[in-house]
């Protein structure tokens, strides 16, 4: 068992001996000899400096982890003590005994605070996350919730038909999950004592760290599957095929994004919670693997087997960033950031939408339903909904909280390339290859207006900042301005001689800027429909254009002339020509404060520019093979928020990355916080740590994938007496010198779709969007 901070671990042997180790050097700090009457139950204090153990002499003992001294002996039980636990705050210890009582002990004084009696036989108990209650179950088939302060029973949860063997609180403390032998699992609402869900399953259960998922496995079932269930809905999310023989143990990783299991087939397996895929199968044990455990940081797995060997598996990542192995498996099309949820939404050619925790990189949900690649996504202004559009001609409205599709909006007859929420959040606009724009009611899903005026495919649609107007542009080289209220065309802006690939409203909504295949960038007066400036300078197609946050300038990019140009919106003059890229520029964006411009090039070349001077303040060129093993031609850039120095990128290989930026003198240094991957094995800068279970060929193959170093750690102690659990924290000998450049955005999302060069034939749009040549 690990201490909460991972600095110590304890091994319990079958003769009752407890060995304590320091994980800094793996030396035994002390040993408590057992009495030969079986292995006791132990628990670490929340700060990890003490261990509490039960004993067959009817006592509870508290030990100092550093010295091994017995700090307290709690006397009062009249029968064998079967289990002990620290309260979350560490100020109390609970113990339950064969004398059919639970006692609550004060850690500082050693006094017994309260006694819960007449409990029949107790099989499990748990503190609530706040430590104000204890839930326990036993042979009377009931779960009781006991108020710690008042010393009274708050609630009795009735429904099980056999004795209750497992009781667990959710992370928030609002739910209790209980399991009875030969009976269903029940999910209870703590406040009212009502049973929310009854899950018909047999075997053991584990609750995820966030309390939102349950995993079930049965060591005695003929159907050897691992089941993953959603706590809120009571629905089985997926079934994992399990081990070839009996599964003995399954546990969640500390982040909750992975499972590790072990079984009779002598293997340890790692599973991706989001996809259900088996990420790794670890072999080396020569007998049944009985138990597995994650280290507190999730970078190491310990397994113990019937062969008397404790094996330590290094599943960590480099110090520079965490790599999450449940990313998209095809090109990223669009990214969005929700500041209220600190959440990232991404969509891809793999037909899925994924929601990510921006801090940890955990994929919270995968939204499926589209039957073609997803072109674009957008959060609602309140950020509780998401709209998506796809090659399948459908627009979908999603409830972000529960991941449910609220409406499927049908009517378009060709691929839908772009979508946008109105500023008020009550409407959605969609642009399609069928040449129309449609306005939809968010509440009802009804189509309010069909805006027909373009003669060819529409590539982009935007609401004005006031929400009373919609602008659309596309293959016919025109911009159409529409009244939201009536659906009438207010102006048709003509002047471009080729397809328009990007339009943006100014922050004040009085201007529109457009970028075209005819190499020009144009500035339009929204009220009159007149062209106020034509920006000429790009030698080839102008593919991107973005307003500064203040609206006093725009920056445009030429994908093939590899330049950026900053234009003054008042005078129409060119302020700076930014050169230095050696590859095609695929995306640009302003920082939220408007003092920097970030630009990304095909194959992972990135630059950060000073707006005032036009100088490059930071650059990265991956060069040669990209970091992830496949192309890193990044297609989307989004700043997380104005008050953070972090931004998000999406790549052609389906990856999502979060970068942290620090200013160092007149330059910027950028480090990767985390990166998703598409599931391919990536061992860059890591060190092979465990010799047991790795053949010489295995080691050579791992090094070929990027791992370094020789095995340098073994733990042989425990022998035949190992019956409990122990773990190890392994430090990765890695340092990622990754430096990249900053990036930013004035709009909440940047899509890689909308630039379609062969525009004359609508039937070719699907083919164009499937090939990277025609997607920016």
């Amino acid at each position: 068992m690990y201490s909460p901070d991972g600095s110590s671990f304890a091994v319990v042997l079958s003769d009752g001996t407890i060995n304590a180790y320091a994980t800094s050097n793996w030396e035994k700090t002390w040993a408590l000899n057992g009495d030969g009457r079986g292995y006791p139950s132990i628990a670490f204090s929340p700060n990890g400096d003490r261990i509490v153990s039960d004993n067959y002499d009817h006592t509870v003992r508290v030990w100092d982890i550093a010295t091994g001294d017995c700090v307290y002996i709690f006397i009062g039980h009249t029968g064998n003590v079967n289990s002990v636990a620290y309260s979350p705050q560490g100020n109390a210890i609970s113990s339950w005994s064969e004398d059919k009582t639970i006692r609550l002990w004060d850690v500082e004084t050693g006094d017994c605070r309260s006694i819960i009696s007449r409990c029949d036989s107790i099989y499990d108990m748990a503190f609530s996350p706040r430590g104000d209650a204890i839930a326990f179950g036993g042979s009377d088939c009931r779960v009781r919730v006991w108020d710690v302060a008042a010393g009274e029973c708050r609630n009795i949860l009735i429904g099980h038909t056999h004795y209750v063997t497992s009781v667990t609180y959710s992370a928030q403390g609002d739910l209790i999950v209980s399991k009875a032998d030969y009976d269903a699992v029940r999910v209870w609402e703590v406040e009212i004592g009502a049973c929310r869900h009854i899950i018909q399953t047999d075997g053991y259960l584990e609750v995820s760290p966030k309390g939102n998922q349950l995993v079930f496995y049965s060591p005695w079932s003929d159907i050897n599957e691992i089941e993953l269930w959603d706590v809120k809905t009571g629905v089985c999310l997926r079934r994992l095929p399990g081990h070839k023989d009996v599964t003995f143990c399954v546990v969640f990783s500390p982040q909750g994004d992975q499972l590790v299991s072990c079984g009779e087939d002598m293997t340890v397996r790692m599973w991706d919670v989001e996809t259900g895929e088996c990420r790794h199968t670890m072999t080396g044990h020569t007998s049944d693997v009985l138990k597995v455990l994650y280290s507190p940081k999730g970078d190491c797995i310990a397994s113990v087997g019937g062969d008397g060997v404790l094996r330590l598996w290094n599943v960590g990542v480099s110090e520079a960033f965490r790599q999450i192995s449940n990313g998209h498996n095809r090109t990223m099309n669009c990214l969005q950031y929700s500041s209220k949820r600190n959440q990232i939404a991404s969509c891809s050619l793999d037909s899925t939408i994924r929601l990510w925790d921006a801090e940890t990189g955990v994929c919270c949900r995968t939204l499926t339903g589209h039957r073609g690649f997803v072109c674009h996504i957008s959060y609602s202004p309140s950020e509780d909904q998401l709209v998506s559009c796809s090659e399948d001609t459908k627009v979908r409205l999603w409830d972000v909280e529960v991941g449910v599709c609220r409406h499927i909006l049908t009517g378009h007859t060709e691929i839908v390339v772009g979508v946008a929420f109105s500023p008020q959040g009550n409407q959605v606009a969609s642009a399609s290859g069928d040449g129309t724009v449609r306005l939809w009611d968010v509440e009802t899903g009804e189509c309010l207006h069909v805006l027909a005026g373009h003669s060819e495919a529409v590539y982009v649609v935007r609401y004005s900042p006031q929400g009373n107007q919609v602008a659309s542009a596309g293959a016919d080289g025109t911009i159409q301005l529409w009244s939201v209220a009536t659906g009438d065309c207010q102006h048709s802006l003509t002047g471009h001689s080729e397809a328009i690939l990007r339009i943006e409203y100014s922050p004040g909504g009085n201007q529109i800027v457009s970028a075209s295949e005819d190499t020009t960038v144009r500035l339009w007066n929204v009220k009159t429909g007149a062209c106020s400036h034509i920006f000429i300078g790009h030698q080839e197609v102008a593919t991107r254009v973005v307003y500064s946050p203040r609206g006093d300038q725009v920056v445009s990019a030429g994908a093939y002339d590899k330049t950026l140009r900053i234009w003054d919106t008042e005078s129409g003059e060119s302020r700076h020509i930014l050169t230095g890229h050696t590859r095609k520029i695929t995306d640009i964006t302003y920082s939220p404060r408007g003092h920097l411009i970030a630009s990304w090039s095909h194959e992972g070349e990135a630059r950060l520019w000073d707006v005032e001077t036009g100088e490059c303040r930071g650059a990265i060129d991956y060069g040669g093979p990209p970091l992830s093993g496949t192309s890193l031609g990044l297609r989307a850039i989004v700043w997380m928020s104005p008050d953070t120095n972090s931004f998000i990128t999406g790549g052609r290989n389906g990856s999502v990355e979060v970068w942290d930026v620090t200013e160092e003198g007149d330059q910027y240094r950028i480090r990767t916080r985390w990166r998703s991957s598409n599931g391919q094995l990536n061992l860059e800068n890591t060190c092979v740590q465990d010799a047991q279970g790795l053949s010489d060929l295995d080691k050579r193959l791992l090094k070929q994938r990027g791992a370094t170093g020789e095995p340098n750690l073994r733990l042989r102690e425990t022998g035949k007496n190992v019956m409990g659990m122990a773990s190890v924290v392994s430090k990765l000998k890695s340092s990622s010198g990754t430096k990249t450049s900053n990036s930013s955005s004035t709009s909440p999302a940047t899509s890689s779709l909308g630039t379609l060069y062969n525009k004359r034939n609508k039937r070719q749009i699907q083919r164009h969007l499937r090939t990277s040549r025609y997607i920016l």
Side-chain angles (χ1 to χ4, degrees):
M1 174 183 289
Y2 271 104
S3 65
D5 61 358
S7 63
S8 304
F9 76 94
V11 178
V12 181
L13 307 183
S14 61
D15 63 356
T17 298
I18 302 173
N19 291 334
Y21 299 83
T23 58
S24 58
N25 53 17
W26 298 109
E27 292 183 359
K28 186 190 296 185
T29 57
W30 55 268
L32 171 65
N33 294 326
D35 55 12
R37 290 188 288 176
Y39 53 94
S41 168
I42 64 171
F44 273 96
S45 62
N47 60 10
D49 62 342
R50 292 179 178 179
I51 284 179
V52 60
S53 67
D54 59 40
N55 292 270
Y56 280 88
D57 62 1
H58 308 170
T59 65
V60 175
R61 296 172 185 255
V62 180
W63 309 87
D64 186 287
I65 191 66
T67 64
D69 295 336
C70 183
V71 181
Y72 293 111
I73 301 177
F74 300 147
I75 300 174
H77 284 294
T78 59
N80 293 336
V81 183
N82 293 328
S83 183
V84 290
Y86 264 97
S87 67
Q89 293 74 27
N91 60 348
I93 291 172
S94 65
S95 60
W96 58 272
S97 165
E98 292 178 3
D99 62 11
K100 299 184 180 180
T101 67
I102 295 176
R103 289 177 178 256
L104 194 65
W105 308 89
D106 188 291
V107 169
E108 292 302 320
T109 65
D111 295 335
C112 181
R113 289 185 183 177
S114 59
I115 302 173
I116 307 172
S117 60
R118 299 185 301 276
C119 300
D120 293 332
S121 295
I122 303 166
Y123 295 115
D124 197 17
M125 66 177 180
F127 272 103
S128 65
R130 292 186 299 176
D132 60 338
I134 295 176
F136 58 93
S139 59
D140 65 355
C141 310
R142 300 180 179 187
V143 177
R144 286 177 165 81
V145 181
W146 194 267
D147 189 297
V148 170
E152 299 175 349
C153 184
R154 288 183 183 176
N155 234 325
I156 301 177
L157 312 180
I158 301 174
H160 286 295
T161 58
H162 289 78
Y163 48 88
V164 180
T165 56
S166 176
V167 177
T168 308
Y169 272 95
S170 66
Q172 296 75 26
D174 59 334
L175 299 175
I176 289 176
V177 181
S178 59
K179 175 73 176 73
D181 269 2
Y182 312 107
D183 193 7
V185 170
R186 290 176 178 260
V187 180
W188 309 87
E189 294 188 29
V190 173
E191 188 66 28
I192 60 176
C195 182
R196 176 185 288 187
H197 299 299
I198 300 175
I199 301 173
Q200 298 293 339
T201 185
D202 195 11
Y204 296 114
L205 76 90
E206 291 286 336
V207 182
S208 67
K210 293 183 178 180
N212 61 332
Q213 291 182 340
L214 305 174
V215 65
F216 298 100
Y217 62 99
S218 177
W220 51 79
S221 174
D222 293 334
I223 303 175
N224 189 30
E225 290 182 329
I226 300 170
E227 296 182 349
L228 198 65
W229 291 72
D230 186 273
V231 170
K232 182 174 287 188
T233 62
V235 174
C236 181
L237 301 175
R238 57 190 54 86
R239 289 180 171 86
L240 314 181
H243 292 261
K244 293 181 181 179
D245 296 302
V246 173
T247 301
F248 287 127
C249 183
V250 181
V251 295
F252 279 95
S253 65
Q255 294 80 21
D257 59 336
Q258 292 181 339
L259 290 170
V260 63
S261 63
C262 63
E264 193 177 12
D265 60 2
M266 301 182 289
T267 67
V268 177
R269 296 173 185 246
M270 282 179 58
W271 307 87
D272 188 295
V273 168
E274 184 64 30
T275 64
E277 296 178 0
C278 181
R279 311 308 302 173
H280 300 289
T281 300
M282 293 164 271
T283 60
H285 282 287
T286 57
S287 184
D288 304 348
V289 187
L290 305 176
K291 193 165 185 178
V292 286
L293 184 69
Y294 267 99
S295 66
K297 294 182 180 179
D299 57 353
C300 184
I301 293 172
S303 61
V304 62
D307 54 8
V309 176
L310 176 69
R311 290 181 179 266
L312 311 166
W313 311 92
N314 181 11
V315 294
V317 293
S318 75
E319 295 175 357
F321 65 90
R322 293 197 304 108
Q323 176 138 325
I324 314 298
S325 59
N326 55 357
H328 295 285
N329 56 35
R330 294 186 66 188
T331 298
M332 179 73 59
N333 282 339
C334 183
L335 288 174
Q336 280 265 24
Y337 175 69
S338 166
S339 59
K340 294 179 181 178
R341 298 174 176 274
N342 197 27
Q343 184 183 79
I344 300 166
S346 62
C347 68
S348 165
L349 294 184
D350 65 6
S351 304
T352 68
I353 301 162
R354 292 176 185 256
L355 306 180
W356 310 80
D357 185 299
E359 183 62 32
T360 65
V362 173
C363 183
C364 310
R365 293 188 185 278
T366 299
L367 310 181
T368 59
H370 282 297
R371 296 188 177 182
F373 57 79
V374 185
C375 304
H376 195 269
I377 52 177
S378 179
Y379 274 105
S380 64
S382 60
E383 300 179 8
D384 60 342
Q385 295 186 75
L386 195 74
V387 64
S388 62
C389 62
S390 169
E391 177 194 25
D392 64 7
T393 75
K394 305 293 192 301
V395 176
R396 287 177 177 257
L397 280 167
W398 306 86
D399 186 305
V400 175
E401 183 65 32
V402 297
V404 174
C405 181
R406 294 185 56 222
H407 295 296
I408 302 175
L409 312 181
T410 61
H412 286 296
T413 58
E414 297 284 348
I415 181 174
V416 186
V417 178
V419 285
F421 264 101
S422 66
Q424 295 77 22
N426 61 333
Q427 285 186 4
V428 163
S430 58
S432 171
D434 62 12
T436 67
V437 173
R438 289 177 177 254
L439 304 184
W440 310 86
D441 186 283
V442 169
E443 187 64 31
T444 65
E446 295 179 0
C447 181
L448 302 174
H449 298 292
V450 179
L451 312 181
H454 289 281
S455 59
E456 297 188 55
V458 185
Y459 295 158
V460 60
V461 62
R462 296 284 187 269
Y463 273 94
S464 67
Q466 295 76 23
N468 61 340
Q469 188 180 75
V470 166
S472 59
D476 62 5
T478 69
I479 302 171
Q480 307 290 335
L481 304 183
W482 310 89
S483 168
V484 169
T486 65
D488 296 333
C489 182
Q490 298 173 327
H491 292 290
S492 181
L493 313 183
T494 60
H496 283 295
S497 59
E498 296 290 340
I500 298 172
L501 307 177
R502 183 61 60 91
I503 59 171
E504 298 290 347
Y505 273 96
S506 64
N510 60 326
Q511 293 179 331
I512 286 178
V513 67
S514 58
S516 170
E517 284 185 359
D518 65 10
T519 74
T520 68
V521 176
R522 292 179 179 245
L523 201 64
W524 309 85
N525 185 297
V526 170
K527 188 174 183 179
T528 65
C531 179
S532 54
H533 293 295
I534 302 176
F535 303 137
I536 299 175
H538 288 293
Q539 302 302 307
E540 295 194 49
V541 176
T543 54
R544 287 288 186 271
V545 65
V546 182
Y547 264 100
S548 66
R550 292 183 298 176
D552 60 334
Q553 60 183 225
V554 295
V555 61
S556 60
Y560 297 101
D561 65 13
K562 301 169 187 146
T563 67
L564 288 82
R565 294 173 184 262
I566 302 176
W567 310 91
D568 189 292
T569 57
E570 185 66 29
S571 66
E573 296 178 354
S574 174
R575 291 187 177 180
H576 298 291
I577 302 174
L578 312 181
T579 60
H581 277 289
T582 60
R583 298 182 178 90
K584 183 177 73 172
I585 300 172
T586 54
D587 215 345
I588 56 173
T589 183
Y590 274 93
S591 66
R593 288 190 291 155
H595 65 302
L596 298 172
I597 293 171
S599 57
W600 292 98
S601 279
H602 195 66
E603 299 292 336
E605 181 190 17
R607 291 180 180 267
L608 192 65
W609 310 89
D610 187 294
V611 170
E612 290 300 319
T613 65
E615 296 177 352
C616 182
R617 298 280 300 278
I620 181 67
D621 187 348
Y622 290 117
L627 288 179
S628 66
T630 57
S631 173
L632 283 181
L634 301 177
R635 301 304 182 88
I637 312 169
V638 180
W639 279 91
M640 290 179 66
S641 66
D643 57 350
T644 61
N645 291 322
S646 302
F647 62 92
I648 313 157
T649 62
R652 173 187 285 181
N653 66 339
S655 66
V656 177
E657 296 176 272
V658 171
W659 310 78
D660 293 320
V661 182
T662 55
E663 190 171 3
E664 298 181 354
D666 61 350
Q667 296 293 311
Y668 285 87
R669 185 176 184 179
I670 301 168
R671 292 182 179 274
T672 316
R673 182 189 303 176
W674 59 261
R675 173 191 299 148
S676 74
S677 72
N678 57 10
Q680 296 181 351
L681 180 62
N682 187 324
L683 296 171
E684 280 193 88
N685 299 320
T686 60
C687 181
V688 182
Q689 293 278 353
D690 183 19
Q692 300 185 43
L694 288 178
S695 66
D696 290 338
L697 176 60
D698 290 333
K699 297 170 195 173
R700 290 199 301 271
L701 289 173
L702 290 176
K703 290 182 182 180
Q704 182 178 315
R705 294 292 187 117
T708 61
E710 289 296 329
N712 59 6
L713 178 63
R714 294 190 184 187
L715 186 64
R716 296 180 175 276
E717 198 169 319
T718 67
K720 296 181 180 180
N721 287 328
V722 175
M723 295 294 290
M725 197 57 230
S727 302
V728 153
V729 175
S730 303
K731 285 187 177 180
L732 291 175
K733 298 176 180 178
S734 64
S735 63
S736 169
T738 306
K739 294 182 181 180
T740 61
S741 93
N742 209 337
S743 67
S744 55
S745 177
T746 56
S747 60
T750 305
S751 171
S752 66
L753 297 174
T755 303
L756 310 175
Y757 298 126
N758 189 341
K759 59 190 181 302
R760 301 302 178 188
N761 188 347
K762 296 178 188 176
R763 294 291 184 180
Q764 292 179 328
I765 292 175
Q766 284 87 344
R767 177 171 59 84
H768 293 165
L769 286 172
R770 288 184 181 277
T771 60
S772 61
R773 178 185 174 188
Y774 291 103
I775 303 176
L776 294 180

